[in-house]
Amino acid sequence: NAGVTQTPKFRVLKTGQSMTLLCAQDMNHEYMYWYRQDPGMGLRLIHYSVGEGTTAKGEVPDGYNVSRLKKQNFLLGLESAAPSQTSVYFCASSNYPTDTQYFGPGTRLTVL
Amino acid sequence: AQSVTQLDSHVSVSEGTPVLLRCNYSSSYSPSLFWYVQHPNKGLQLLLKYTSAATLVKGINGFEAEFKKSETSFHLTKPSAHMSDAAEYFCVVSDQRDSGYSTLTFGKGTMLLVSP
């Protein structure tokens, strides 16, 4: 039981490049979330999903897209990376009735 | 809307002395409250969770937190700090919707420094 895993762990992009971050969970959780962590800001919600095929915007969605084609996977895409998207990205999952979210190890992204 | 304020960005203690990390929250609902810990270059680990069953919540590694509704506080304490406690701590409030999913609001974090 791996819990929540994220791929890749590190990535460096140039401005304007695109990439996709993959989150996978093996706990059969219904709900999945993408956050970004910036120094002194805590974690802020980018997008979330309440089930396969559904997504919704969080607090800071601009510049990101997401897809949830399979229940166990939640993808975060950057179509045209900007230096402001340099951050650490965390994925999390949870399941009713508990509201406890379980976090992945994070992806450190640098945009030059 | 919900919000979380961690009153100290940094707390420094000596090994073996008590730890107090302060958190105040606001929520329109009866909230769930969490403390998460993040060690350097690591992910987030759940320390403890309050869900209204008991106001004093015990967590892992000797930490506990007390929910005080009148003060809208959820402070984290530990009687005796250990070097391995050095990390960043996040106070979090949850707004669980009727449909089951939750939205978490994070405080900005408190960095705990432990000196020998």
Side-chain angles (χ1 to χ4, degrees):
Chain A
N1 190 337
V4 180
T5 58
Q6 293 182 232
T7 309
K9 289 185 169 53
F10 303 93
R11 186 71 185 269
V12 178
L13 290 179
K14 294 181 179 179
T15 297
Q17 287 184 318
S18 63
M19 78 163 296
T20 300
L21 282 66
L22 170 63
C23 175
Q25 52 95 2
D26 61 3
M27 297 174 283
N28 202 34
H29 283 175
E30 201 66 35
Y31 315 124
M32 297 186 74
Y33 313 83
W34 274 108
Y35 295 88
R36 60 177 289 171
Q37 182 181 28
D38 302 294
M41 300 292 289
L43 273 73
R44 293 178 294 167
L45 183 65
I46 305 172
H47 286 280
Y48 63 96
S49 169
V50 300
E52 184 177 320
T54 72
T55 63
K57 294 179 180 179
E59 180 186 354
V60 288
D62 294 342
Y64 305 96
N65 56 75
V66 288
S67 64
R68 183 104 180 265
L69 298 179
K70 294 183 179 180
K71 185 177 183 179
Q72 64 268 33
N73 295 338
F74 194 28
L75 279 64
L76 178 71
L78 287 73
E79 288 186 349
S80 179
S84 60
Q85 294 177 304
T86 294
S87 188
V88 181
Y89 292 86
F90 287 98
C91 177
S93 70
S94 68
N95 215 31
Y96 187 81
T98 178
D99 55 356
T100 302
Q101 293 186 16
Y102 297 90
F103 286 82
T107 295
R108 187 173 295 274
L109 175 66
T110 301
V111 182
L112 303 175
Chain B
Q2 53 194 25
S3 66
V4 177
T5 302
Q6 292 185 241
L7 297 166
D8 306 290
S9 60
H10 293 80
V11 169
S12 295
V13 301
S14 298
E15 191 174 22
T17 64
V19 175
L20 170 64
L21 305 183
R22 299 181 296 165
C23 172
N24 288 118
Y25 72 92
S26 69
S27 176
S28 303
Y29 305 86
S30 295
S32 293
L33 292 160
F34 306 79
W35 278 98
Y36 281 87
V37 60
Q38 184 180 31
H39 287 92
N41 299 313
K42 299 290 187 184
L44 283 86
Q45 181 183 19
L46 179 66
L47 268 183
L48 52 79
K49 173 183 177 180
Y50 164 78
T51 57
S52 78
T55 57
L56 186 61
V57 183
K58 293 189 184 300
I60 61 172
N61 300 334
F63 284 94
E64 62 181 37
E66 185 173 9
F67 174 74
K68 291 187 177 180
K69 187 174 181 178
S70 61
E71 299 177 8
T72 59
S73 68
F74 190 57
H75 300 336
L76 182 70
T77 61
K78 183 173 181 178
S80 176
H82 192 272
M83 294 296 291
S84 61
D85 295 328
E88 190 161 23
Y89 292 78
F90 292 97
C91 182
V92 182
V93 61
S94 169
D95 170 17
Q96 185 169 26
R97 309 301 173 86
D98 292 340
S99 57
Y101 73 93
S102 58
T103 59
L104 300 185
T105 301
F106 283 75
K108 291 181 168 31
T110 298
M111 187 68 70
L112 177 64
L113 308 170
V114 183
S115 56

